[in-house]
Amino acid sequence: APADAMLSVDQLVVDYGSVRALSGVSLEVRRGEFVAVIGPNGAGKSTLLSAIIGLVEPKSGTIKLEGRPLGSVAIESRVGEGIALVPEGRRILSNLTVEENLRVGEMTRRTDPEAARRFEDVLQRFPILRDRLKGYAGRLSGGEQQQLAIARALLSAPRMLLLDEPSLGLSPMMIEQVYETLAGLNETGLTILLMEQNASRALLAGDRAYVIRHGAIELEGDAASLRTDPAFDRAYFGFE
Ligand code: ATP
């Protein structure tokens, strides 16, 4: 693995009972990179994320963060390892205020003296959330809720952000906003790995992309070339 590897996944196999969800997935994300894993429904994207954050135990294979195997790290402490997840469907607590939702994200670092400054930094980046701090999160639009989910994840001061289908259920305009936010965060040096069905948008955003299908990586390349590569459609849709 190169010296600047942030995340290295090697030959990962995950089974759900007799169903093989991932059959030997390998991928790498370098420090500061924006990488997309693109694939249709059921390809294994959520499973891959679950394995990275420790929600499912792989049958075999290794996952390393900055060279250290994550295999033995308990789920609770992975946040402390510098990984934060923005889950599919955003998982916003609708009956809590925007501020309360953010404080949930902060809880993991309650004792950190920098927490107040970080809270301020995050609000600076998401002015819409500052305007709505005391309002119920359930009243936010889908795009605003996605911003909230991202803001919440950032409060744990991650070095790497993982996102599961951030454009799911959003209008084209909101998708644009979310991706612009992600591009801005990546420019500040944050490493990003996202899972997407929305191939066209993910290929516009990322540095590199992997196509996953039936639990295996079918194709890998830099995003700009994959956009025009006929092999991309073959890999994504499984055309012969
Ligand atoms: P989606 O876009 O629907 O979330 P995905 O690419 O994230 O799809 P996964 O959810 O990782 O795909 O699913 C990969 C495979 O594993 C699918 O065949 C799915 O049916 C199966 N699977 C997922 N979760 C479970 C489970 N808890 N038990 C059994 N099989 C599962």
Side-chain angles (χ1 to χ4, degrees):
D4 62 348
M6 176 65 95
L7 181 77
S8 314
V9 174
D10 191 37
Q11 290 299 318
L12 196 67
V13 175
V14 174
D15 288 344
Y16 295 112
S18 61
V19 177
R20 177 140 298 180
L22 296 181
S23 51
V25 165
S26 300
L27 64 84
E28 195 147 72
V29 182
R30 295 174 178 218
R31 207 165 283 138
E33 249 190 335
F34 189 146
V35 174
V37 176
I38 300 168
N41 234 322
K45 303 181 297 297
S46 298
T47 301
L48 176 57
L49 272 191
S50 297
I52 294 170
I53 63 163
L55 280 175
V56 303
E57 177 145 20
K59 182 182 166 74
S60 58
T62 57
I63 303 171
K64 288 182 184 167
L65 188 69
E66 295 174 317
R68 279 167 297 120
L70 275 180
S72 52
V73 178
I75 299 167
E76 316 80 72
S77 53
R78 293 210 183 181
V79 171
E81 297 286 315
I83 296 181
L85 173 70
V86 180
E88 185 179 323
R90 311 181 269 283
R91 310 275 170 81
I92 290 303
L93 304 165
S94 313
N95 298 322
L96 297 185
T97 66
V98 167
E99 180 164 18
E100 286 162 345
N101 270 274
L102 290 172
R103 298 291 180 193
V104 169
E106 214 178 28
M107 223 121 79
T108 47
R109 287 275 180 123
R110 222 170 2 209
T111 54
D112 190 331
E114 296 217 333
R117 189 189 54 78
R118 197 172 304 126
F119 193 76
E120 209 30 59
D121 282 356
V122 165
L123 290 185
Q124 197 97 37
R125 186 168 284 280
F126 299 91
I128 187 80
L129 299 181
R130 190 198 292 282
D131 294 344
R132 307 287 191 83
L133 268 186
K134 305 295 178 194
Y136 286 114
R139 303 290 297 274
L140 299 177
S141 71
E144 291 161 355
Q145 288 185 13
Q146 187 61 271
Q147 308 274 353
L148 175 56
I150 295 169
R152 183 175 57 187
L154 292 176
L155 287 173
S156 66
R159 293 192 300 287
M160 180 170 190
L161 194 62
L162 306 176
L163 300 102
D164 200 1
E165 310 228 16
S167 66
L168 202 69
L170 299 185
S171 69
M173 203 180 78
M174 287 169 177
I175 292 174
E176 217 38 54
Q177 278 173 5
V178 166
Y179 270 94
E180 275 167 26
T181 298
L182 294 178
L185 289 169
N186 182 239
E187 269 170 31
T188 70
L190 186 67
T191 306
I192 296 179
L193 175 63
L194 63 80
M195 307 290 142
E196 265 290 9
Q197 282 190 55
N198 186 339
S200 53
R201 193 57 188 88
L203 285 181
L204 273 181
D207 298 314
R208 278 192 310 118
Y210 293 85
V211 180
I212 187 171
R213 195 178 152 73
H214 297 317
I217 301 293
E218 296 282 336
L219 186 66
E220 184 251 319
D222 72 275
S225 10
L226 286 181
R227 279 204 290 275
T228 55
D229 189 343
F232 179 85
D233 281 356
R234 276 203 300 279
Y236 186 96
F237 297 106
F239 296 152
E240 293 311 320

